[in-house]
Amino acid sequence: MARSTVLPGIDISRFHAPDADRDDFLTPPAPGEHVSSTRTRPALFVLGAAALLAASVTVPQASAAGRTPTALAWYDATAETIATAGASTQITNSRTWAIGWLAAARATRSVPAGVDRGAYQEAALAGAVHRALVTLAPSRTEQLDAKFKETLDAIPDGPAEERGVAVGERQADIVLASREGDGLGPAAVNAPYPVKPAAPGVWQPTPPDHAPAAQYGNRVAKPFLLRTQSQFRLAPPPALDSRRYAADLAEVRAYGAADSAVRSARQTETATFWLGSSLTLYTEPLRVALSRTHQGIAGQARLVALFHVALVDTQIATSDSKYAYERWRPVTAIRTGAIEPDLGWTPLHTTPAHPDYPSGHTTYAGAAQTVLSALAGPRSAPFALTSPTAPGVTRTYTTWKQLSDENVDARVFSGIHTRSADEAGITLGTNVARYVLHDAGRLLAPR
């Protein structure tokens, strides 16, 4: 096994499970190990106290005359760029985030002698993210150039600004070159999938549209840090003749039906609140963590970079497990399976066009929780979230784990995933993110 490079200041040994019998989480699975979804019963463990991002901690500079701090300004510029000119595929947009902010993290990691630290790092971050975004979203060049000018106008002219911009742009060019041909463009991500003949347990296109399978190409895309796409492939889903499978199906049949008589109004709201893109739903929680960290500009850049690197690699690993097992969705299992088939059963929400196991929403949630807990602490002062799929609804949270728990329940209440698929997703996302954190130093070293 290759030697891991741990990012200085991230103390992996401080991660802990809430119960003494959960020590299996303290050691990441070996490469190629198949990880059973039962390791996360009933849900993701809470990580330990926040680990520092770097040995030297600096407090973010206060904004001048009400100016938004540089890292937050460029975070918002990235989010706006993705919202208005992003790709049609979530992982492609995650890649854009990862490229720009990885370049920023490398560019701000060290400061040359003889220049103002704050000015240099602000210029380096702006130079890196600006260069990456105008390259990947050229239709937004005018708006990004204006934001870049605004940032530089607020930095005193001189060597710190000039050298910071230069290193940021250089690191962006290096990361961009390293990701050419990585298989994460929309066409490659949605490569055609040869549907297998209908058989018990085997995925088939689902109603009402019976659309072709999506994200099949993710499974062969180039990760940022994983050695192979299958490095953390999950153990198989529950057997069709198992009690766990029967319980899963009974739960989603009852609680996930469009006309469910047992799902509460709050549970329906949960399903609808978490229905949209995970990238969209987690943009605000990450911003909350970014705005509340006291790690300085370099630490802020690392937080965003590692979050999105972990999420790209998690989405690749998700498709690897999905298409390794090709498990049918609940709507297919309930309508055509051997357990009390019901041809008229309809889920609350339309089933996405890819296999059930694991849930992509919960792999995303597991990875996001792991990174945020490690780099910003598992708890936060209360923060409010809204959802584009639940207009008028605002929910308040104090831990990242609450987001994960709601994602697990939401996919069952929507009628589109089994609980086993959801819990397995938490396991997979957690394992990938912990690996990324453990080997972060290898990724973040400037080139």
PDB file of all heavy atoms in Angstrom, residues 68-85:
ATOM      1  N   THR A  68     -17.463  42.235   1.300  1.00  0.00           N
ATOM      2  CA  THR A  68     -17.519  40.805   1.568  1.00  0.00           C
ATOM      3  C   THR A  68     -16.105  40.235   1.549  1.00  0.00           C
ATOM      4  O   THR A  68     -15.337  40.503   0.626  1.00  0.00           O
ATOM      5  CB  THR A  68     -18.363  40.087   0.501  1.00  0.00           C
ATOM      6  OG1 THR A  68     -19.676  40.652   0.492  1.00  0.00           O
ATOM      7  CG2 THR A  68     -18.452  38.600   0.786  1.00  0.00           C
ATOM      8  N   PRO A  69     -15.711  39.453   2.563  1.00  0.00           N
ATOM      9  CA  PRO A  69     -14.376  38.864   2.558  1.00  0.00           C
ATOM     10  C   PRO A  69     -14.108  38.117   1.256  1.00  0.00           C
ATOM     11  O   PRO A  69     -15.020  37.541   0.644  1.00  0.00           O
ATOM     12  CB  PRO A  69     -14.419  37.911   3.758  1.00  0.00           C
ATOM     13  CG  PRO A  69     -15.425  38.521   4.677  1.00  0.00           C
ATOM     14  CD  PRO A  69     -16.469  39.112   3.776  1.00  0.00           C
ATOM     15  N   THR A  70     -12.858  38.118   0.831  1.00  0.00           N
ATOM     16  CA  THR A  70     -12.504  37.599  -0.496  1.00  0.00           C
ATOM     17  C   THR A  70     -12.956  36.168  -0.720  1.00  0.00           C
ATOM     18  O   THR A  70     -13.505  35.834  -1.784  1.00  0.00           O
ATOM     19  CB  THR A  70     -10.989  37.724  -0.709  1.00  0.00           C
ATOM     20  OG1 THR A  70     -10.624  39.106  -0.639  1.00  0.00           O
ATOM     21  CG2 THR A  70     -10.582  37.171  -2.063  1.00  0.00           C
ATOM     22  N   ALA A  71     -12.724  35.298   0.256  1.00  0.00           N
ATOM     23  CA  ALA A  71     -13.106  33.897   0.059  1.00  0.00           C
ATOM     24  C   ALA A  71     -14.612  33.761  -0.128  1.00  0.00           C
ATOM     25  O   ALA A  71     -15.078  33.006  -1.000  1.00  0.00           O
ATOM     26  CB  ALA A  71     -12.630  33.051   1.231  1.00  0.00           C
ATOM     27  N   LEU A  72     -15.399  34.466   0.651  1.00  0.00           N
ATOM     28  CA  LEU A  72     -16.850  34.406   0.501  1.00  0.00           C
ATOM     29  C   LEU A  72     -17.307  35.031  -0.819  1.00  0.00           C
ATOM     30  O   LEU A  72     -18.234  34.527  -1.465  1.00  0.00           O
ATOM     31  CB  LEU A  72     -17.529  35.104   1.672  1.00  0.00           C
ATOM     32  CG  LEU A  72     -17.474  34.380   3.019  1.00  0.00           C
ATOM     33  CD1 LEU A  72     -18.065  35.260   4.113  1.00  0.00           C
ATOM     34  CD2 LEU A  72     -18.211  33.059   2.948  1.00  0.00           C
ATOM     35  N   ALA A  73     -16.661  36.116  -1.220  1.00  0.00           N
ATOM     36  CA  ALA A  73     -17.026  36.749  -2.489  1.00  0.00           C
ATOM     37  C   ALA A  73     -16.813  35.796  -3.656  1.00  0.00           C
ATOM     38  O   ALA A  73     -17.656  35.695  -4.566  1.00  0.00           O
ATOM     39  CB  ALA A  73     -16.216  38.027  -2.690  1.00  0.00           C
ATOM     40  N   TRP A  74     -15.687  35.074  -3.639  1.00  0.00           N
ATOM     41  CA  TRP A  74     -15.411  34.148  -4.731  1.00  0.00           C
ATOM     42  C   TRP A  74     -16.178  32.838  -4.595  1.00  0.00           C
ATOM     43  O   TRP A  74     -16.462  32.171  -5.593  1.00  0.00           O
ATOM     44  CB  TRP A  74     -13.901  33.938  -4.890  1.00  0.00           C
ATOM     45  CG  TRP A  74     -13.338  35.110  -5.629  1.00  0.00           C
ATOM     46  CD1 TRP A  74     -12.731  36.198  -5.089  1.00  0.00           C
ATOM     47  CD2 TRP A  74     -13.425  35.344  -7.040  1.00  0.00           C
ATOM     48  NE1 TRP A  74     -12.416  37.109  -6.076  1.00  0.00           N
ATOM     49  CE2 TRP A  74     -12.824  36.603  -7.281  1.00  0.00           C
ATOM     50  CE3 TRP A  74     -13.933  34.630  -8.117  1.00  0.00           C
ATOM     51  CZ2 TRP A  74     -12.739  37.144  -8.567  1.00  0.00           C
ATOM     52  CZ3 TRP A  74     -13.847  35.171  -9.393  1.00  0.00           C
ATOM     53  CH2 TRP A  74     -13.257  36.414  -9.604  1.00  0.00           C
ATOM     54  N   TYR A  75     -16.565  32.499  -3.380  1.00  0.00           N
ATOM     55  CA  TYR A  75     -17.490  31.378  -3.196  1.00  0.00           C
ATOM     56  C   TYR A  75     -18.825  31.711  -3.871  1.00  0.00           C
ATOM     57  O   TYR A  75     -19.370  30.904  -4.634  1.00  0.00           O
ATOM     58  CB  TYR A  75     -17.708  31.108  -1.707  1.00  0.00           C
ATOM     59  CG  TYR A  75     -18.558  29.888  -1.439  1.00  0.00           C
ATOM     60  CD1 TYR A  75     -17.983  28.635  -1.292  1.00  0.00           C
ATOM     61  CD2 TYR A  75     -19.955  29.982  -1.348  1.00  0.00           C
ATOM     62  CE1 TYR A  75     -18.770  27.507  -1.060  1.00  0.00           C
ATOM     63  CE2 TYR A  75     -20.739  28.873  -1.118  1.00  0.00           C
ATOM     64  CZ  TYR A  75     -20.137  27.631  -0.973  1.00  0.00           C
ATOM     65  OH  TYR A  75     -20.913  26.521  -0.754  1.00  0.00           O
ATOM     66  N   ASP A  76     -19.321  32.907  -3.592  1.00  0.00           N
ATOM     67  CA  ASP A  76     -20.587  33.312  -4.199  1.00  0.00           C
ATOM     68  C   ASP A  76     -20.475  33.428  -5.719  1.00  0.00           C
ATOM     69  O   ASP A  76     -21.406  33.080  -6.452  1.00  0.00           O
ATOM     70  CB  ASP A  76     -21.042  34.645  -3.608  1.00  0.00           C
ATOM     71  CG  ASP A  76     -21.411  34.538  -2.129  1.00  0.00           C
ATOM     72  OD1 ASP A  76     -21.645  33.415  -1.644  1.00  0.00           O
ATOM     73  OD2 ASP A  76     -21.445  35.589  -1.453  1.00  0.00           O
ATOM     74  N   ALA A  77     -19.333  33.902  -6.192  1.00  0.00           N
ATOM     75  CA  ALA A  77     -19.141  34.005  -7.644  1.00  0.00           C
ATOM     76  C   ALA A  77     -19.130  32.619  -8.289  1.00  0.00           C
ATOM     77  O   ALA A  77     -19.666  32.426  -9.390  1.00  0.00           O
ATOM     78  CB  ALA A  77     -17.828  34.733  -7.943  1.00  0.00           C
ATOM     79  N   THR A  78     -18.524  31.647  -7.602  1.00  0.00           N
ATOM     80  CA  THR A  78     -18.522  30.278  -8.123  1.00  0.00           C
ATOM     81  C   THR A  78     -19.936  29.720  -8.149  1.00  0.00           C
ATOM     82  O   THR A  78     -20.358  29.113  -9.149  1.00  0.00           O
ATOM     83  CB  THR A  78     -17.615  29.377  -7.276  1.00  0.00           C
ATOM     84  OG1 THR A  78     -16.322  29.969  -7.141  1.00  0.00           O
ATOM     85  CG2 THR A  78     -17.461  28.006  -7.930  1.00  0.00           C
ATOM     86  N   ALA A  79     -20.677  29.903  -7.055  1.00  0.00           N
ATOM     87  CA  ALA A  79     -22.046  29.395  -6.991  1.00  0.00           C
ATOM     88  C   ALA A  79     -22.919  30.014  -8.076  1.00  0.00           C
ATOM     89  O   ALA A  79     -23.715  29.325  -8.728  1.00  0.00           O
ATOM     90  CB  ALA A  79     -22.635  29.672  -5.611  1.00  0.00           C
ATOM     91  N   GLU A  80     -22.765  31.331  -8.285  1.00  0.00           N
ATOM     92  CA  GLU A  80     -23.554  32.009  -9.315  1.00  0.00           C
ATOM     93  C   GLU A  80     -23.170  31.520 -10.708  1.00  0.00           C
ATOM     94  O   GLU A  80     -24.031  31.345 -11.589  1.00  0.00           O
ATOM     95  CB  GLU A  80     -23.356  33.519  -9.216  1.00  0.00           C
ATOM     96  CG  GLU A  80     -24.225  34.309 -10.181  1.00  0.00           C
ATOM     97  CD  GLU A  80     -24.067  35.810 -10.032  1.00  0.00           C
ATOM     98  OE1 GLU A  80     -23.331  36.261  -9.131  1.00  0.00           O
ATOM     99  OE2 GLU A  80     -24.675  36.545 -10.838  1.00  0.00           O
ATOM    100  N   THR A  81     -21.885  31.282 -10.922  1.00  0.00           N
ATOM    101  CA  THR A  81     -21.430  30.772 -12.217  1.00  0.00           C
ATOM    102  C   THR A  81     -22.034  29.410 -12.505  1.00  0.00           C
ATOM    103  O   THR A  81     -22.525  29.146 -13.621  1.00  0.00           O
ATOM    104  CB  THR A  81     -19.889  30.691 -12.238  1.00  0.00           C
ATOM    105  OG1 THR A  81     -19.352  32.005 -12.088  1.00  0.00           O
ATOM    106  CG2 THR A  81     -19.390  30.077 -13.532  1.00  0.00           C
ATOM    107  N   ILE A  82     -22.010  28.530 -11.508  1.00  0.00           N
ATOM    108  CA  ILE A  82     -22.584  27.197 -11.687  1.00  0.00           C
ATOM    109  C   ILE A  82     -24.091  27.295 -11.927  1.00  0.00           C
ATOM    110  O   ILE A  82     -24.651  26.589 -12.776  1.00  0.00           O
ATOM    111  CB  ILE A  82     -22.296  26.316 -10.449  1.00  0.00           C
ATOM    112  CG1 ILE A  82     -20.792  26.073 -10.293  1.00  0.00           C
ATOM    113  CG2 ILE A  82     -23.060  25.003 -10.531  1.00  0.00           C
ATOM    114  CD1 ILE A  82     -20.141  25.342 -11.422  1.00  0.00           C
ATOM    115  N   ALA A  83     -24.765  28.178 -11.179  1.00  0.00           N
ATOM    116  CA  ALA A  83     -26.222  28.298 -11.303  1.00  0.00           C
ATOM    117  C   ALA A  83     -26.648  28.811 -12.666  1.00  0.00           C
ATOM    118  O   ALA A  83     -27.707  28.438 -13.181  1.00  0.00           O
ATOM    119  CB  ALA A  83     -26.761  29.206 -10.202  1.00  0.00           C
ATOM    120  N   THR A  84     -25.832  29.672 -13.268  1.00  0.00           N
ATOM    121  CA  THR A  84     -26.238  30.310 -14.527  1.00  0.00           C
ATOM    122  C   THR A  84     -25.584  29.705 -15.763  1.00  0.00           C
ATOM    123  O   THR A  84     -26.138  29.817 -16.858  1.00  0.00           O
ATOM    124  CB  THR A  84     -25.922  31.813 -14.494  1.00  0.00           C
ATOM    125  OG1 THR A  84     -24.523  32.000 -14.239  1.00  0.00           O
ATOM    126  CG2 THR A  84     -26.715  32.511 -13.404  1.00  0.00           C
ATOM    127  N   ALA A  85     -24.426  29.105 -15.614  1.00  0.00           N
ATOM    128  CA  ALA A  85     -23.710  28.596 -16.794  1.00  0.00           C
ATOM    129  C   ALA A  85     -23.143  27.212 -16.559  1.00  0.00           C
ATOM    130  O   ALA A  85     -22.255  26.776 -17.291  1.00  0.00           O
ATOM    131  CB  ALA A  85     -22.580  29.559 -17.169  1.00  0.00           C
TER     132      ALA A  85
END
